[in-house]
Amino acid sequence: MSVPLVFDGKVVIVTGAGGGLGREYALAFGVRGASVVVNDLGGDIKGGGKSSNAADKVVEEIKAKGGKAVANYDSVEDGEKLIQTALDAFGRIGAFINTFACISDLIHRVHLRGSFMVTRAAWNHMKKQKFGRIIMTSSAAGIYGNFGQANYSAAKLGLLGLANTLAIEGQKYNIHCNTIAPTAGSRLTETVMPPVLCESLKAEYVAPLVLWLSHDQCQENGGLFEVGAGWIGKLRWERSQGRIVRKKNQGMFPETVRDQWDNICDFTNATKPANINESVATLVEVLSRVETDEGIAPNPTSAMATAASGISPLEAVGQKLPESTFSYSQTQCILYALGVGMSTKDDDHLKFLYEGHEDFSCLPTFGVIPSQAAMMDGGLGSVPGLNFDFTRLLHGEQYLELFKPLPTSGTLTSQARIADVLDKGSGAVILLDVHTYSGKELLCYNQYSLFIVGAGGFGGKRTSDKAMSTVTHPNRTPDAVMTDTTTRDQAALYRLSGDWNPLHIDPSFAAMGGFKSPILHGLCSFGFAARHVLKQYANNDASRFKSIKVRFVKPVLPGQSLQTEMWKEGNRIHIQCKVKESGAVVLSGAYVDLHAAADGSPQILPEAGGLKSELVFAEIGRRIKDLGAEMVKKVNAVFGWEITKGGDIAAQWTIDLKTGAGALHKGPYSGKTDVTITVSDGDFMEVVQGKLNPQKAFFAGKLKVRGNIMLSQKLEVILKDYAKL
């Protein structure tokens, strides 16, 4: 069985917890270690009356099972009082679940405004602690409508709109908000449902979903779920391809709408917009088509989703693009290095930035630059069978392989051909192979995976053995993490290497694409991630670099921090790149392959240097050596430690007090640890010296624990008396 979810140290507020779903949530959280605030007015099913009995009874049930709970009898309209109860009793807020059962004229005040008031009261507390989980309770009546429930339906759908916006605004603070639409037997339904049906729709069949969405392991955000009877399903919006029903400089008439109605409502090849940017992007393109007088026609994605769009694999595959030439000097190598974040602040970057350095080198990922010319000089537009709208082209994936280190200057030629064309339904994928030569010598090979939005549906194959595949990273804690902050001018600097797309510099052009500001080039993030690997595992030796493969997932805004997580498996380094501020993954399924070191020995991780915790772990190693067998009997667990410095993981340690006579290893555990603790070097020293209480450090977010949190109490066996040494 998988590791159970626990909520030790978490504080959860459940509104409407005196009965039904709310009671079930409160009891479930209490059993799993959470401190629970049980809120209930104690009113009747019409919203009248007030009593403390309902909340008090649930509190007693939780305490009887060994849990912690306090009651609150305030109206949710007094959200500040409810939040203050949690702060007074437990000192913080982790999650709250809005669950109401009132069906009366107070509908909007209780359901919609009440949820808003509680959320507003908790919001700043969650922002400060950089953590929060919010669950809104909607209903099928709100999603689909129901006869005789106009006021209730309006309030419940309003909650979904509130939750969607909270999910967006809270993302960067690690505050996640999701919505559930439960179907469960309660005091409201027991008068209209047969007893057998009520029994099948127990509230306990809903609570597990609420617990998962409230857990810190759960990264779901902005989701809508129907749940009941032991079944859970996720909902999303769907939109037809639609029709443009006007022409430039002409009016729009109801008769045209009538005549195109079947097409407007046709959900064949429907799209699934996930955010407002995706929604607006289609309208921006519609305006473009109207301006070119392409009115009264399918929208762009619909037009290209048919064979008539001009996507013909039989014609395109194997076609060669015009040969391109790229001349460069050391200046372009240095400019590229600056474009992917290298700086003179780091001494080991100088070899890529100073032409007078004895080891002056060209970054390996500069290999994408000469190959771009083949695509950007209009070559794709000349290929038979590839007649598509270039404004719908997205860079999906990239593969680069070097056959020898790139020279720091020279004239290179690139030969490109269409390797394959795939039909993904919602779009077409073009695999473009580019081989780059210095004279007759092959230097590097690139494969561009280009996604044409809306161009699918032409009956082609979905996969290709010619595609360089992405690979999922190992299911364990990263072996190394490196973070760099991009500058506000990162995109402006990177574009000087040859990618002149105005999307990365012009705010008005970016807005047309649905972005609030210009975005960073995907290949710039690609360069950041590759040099992180090169530094971590190859000591910045460009000759060790063999190849890199990435999938571009989400855009990065200049000024955000790029965090590269790395897993070493032999000479392959699996990587995943995220925006540190939001946690959004920007590069996935990625890896870098390295050549073995010249002497054939494995690469040693660079020493973290300057970590005070090194002294503590040295002492722990001595104690294990002297008393290991005794410690194994007392502890019987494996502890993983991640020591951070400046927000990055600077060192990893494994304390194995489960195997043999115990052992201390520097580096991650090869198997699965029982508990992993992440803490900064400074906070670690304050904890072991008794200057910082571990519980306070945990509640303040300074000490993070994954796995069986109760085992962390056994660390006293190996950490005690350190301050006396």
Side-chain angles (χ1 to χ4, degrees), residues 190 336 718:
E190 63 186 9
Y336 175 81
I718 46 181

Side-chain angles (χ1 to χ4, degrees), residues 579-597:
V579 172
K580 183 178 180 181
E581 291 81 359
S582 67
V585 175
V586 296
L587 301 179
S588 71
Y591 62 84
V592 172
D593 284 341
L594 298 174
H595 294 293

Side-chain angles (χ1 to χ4, degrees), residues 21 98 100 103 107 111 136-146 149-160 179-184 224-227 235:
L21 286 169
N98 287 316
F100 307 112
I103 300 183
I107 287 281
H111 287 271
M136 297 293 185
T137 303
S138 184
S139 73
I143 299 169
Y144 306 109
N146 195 29
Q149 289 189 291
N151 58 347
Y152 180 72
S153 298
K156 285 300 190 181
L157 192 57
L159 281 171
L160 177 60
T179 305
I180 65 169
T183 300
L224 170 62
F225 302 87
E226 286 186 286
V227 54
L235 280 73

Side-chain angles (χ1 to χ4, degrees), residues 220 253 364 405 413 454 661:
E220 183 71 37
F253 307 101
T413 57

Side-chain angles (χ1 to χ4, degrees), residues 47 117 135-136 156 180 222 268 306 327 358 416 429-430 480 540 564-565 571 579 595 655 666 682 689 701 721:
M117 296 300 288
I135 314 298
M136 297 293 185
K156 285 300 190 181
I180 65 169
T268 302
T306 66
S327 295
E358 61 180 357
V429 171
I430 299 172
N540 278 332
T564 304
E565 300 172 337
N571 287 323
V579 172
H595 294 293
I655 301 175
K666 188 169 186 181
Q689 290 174 345
D721 299 328

Side-chain angles (χ1 to χ4, degrees), residues 81-151:
K81 294 181 180 179
L82 174 53
I83 298 303
Q84 194 59 49
T85 297
L87 295 174
D88 290 344
F90 304 118
R92 71 194 305 265
I93 306 158
F96 62 84
I97 293 69
N98 287 316
T99 309
F100 307 112
C102 174
I103 300 183
S104 70
D105 291 336
L106 299 177
I107 287 281
H108 282 267
R109 285 171 54 193
V110 173
H111 287 271
L112 189 53
R113 188 169 187 273
S115 295
F116 168 76
M117 296 300 288
V118 175
T119 304
R120 185 172 71 174
W123 192 254
N124 284 335
H125 297 286
M126 288 182 164
K127 281 176 62 176
K128 289 178 182 177
Q129 68 192 25
K130 295 291 176 63
F131 176 82
R133 296 292 184 265
I134 303 169
I135 314 298
M136 297 293 185
T137 303
S138 184
S139 73
I143 299 169
Y144 306 109
N146 195 29
F147 183 84
Q149 289 189 291
N151 58 347

Side-chain angles (χ1 to χ4, degrees), residues 336-337 339-342 363-366 368 398 400 484 494 520-535 545 548 550 552 562 564 575 577 587 592:
Y336 175 81
V340 296
M342 292 205 129
L363 275 173
T365 47
F366 182 77
V368 300
Q398 182 72 27
L400 166 67
D484 266 319
Y494 182 84
L520 196 63
H521 305 69
L523 284 175
C524 183
S525 303
F526 168 92
F528 267 80
R531 67 174 182 77
H532 285 165
V533 173
L534 201 65
K535 179 175 181 177
F545 182 95
I548 178 173
V550 307
F552 301 107
L562 286 170
T564 304
I575 58 175
C577 196
L587 301 179
V592 172

Side-chain angles (χ1 to χ4, degrees), residues 20-98:
L21 286 169
R23 171 182 173 275
E24 194 64 37
Y25 301 159
L27 293 175
F29 277 114
V31 166
R32 290 175 179 261
S35 299
V36 186
V37 177
V38 179
N39 164 263
D40 202 285
L41 280 171
D44 57 31
I45 63 173
K46 295 182 179 180
K50 185 174 182 179
S51 170
S52 65
N53 291 341
D56 289 342
K57 184 178 179 182
V58 175
V59 168
E60 291 306 315
E61 287 185 79
I62 293 173
K63 289 182 176 179
K65 295 180 180 180
K68 299 177 182 178
V70 295
N72 175 275
Y73 321 113
D74 293 306
S75 167
V76 288
E77 293 183 89
D78 297 319
E80 293 285 355
K81 294 181 180 179
L82 174 53
I83 298 303
Q84 194 59 49
T85 297
L87 295 174
D88 290 344
F90 304 118
R92 71 194 305 265
I93 306 158
F96 62 84
I97 293 69
N98 287 316

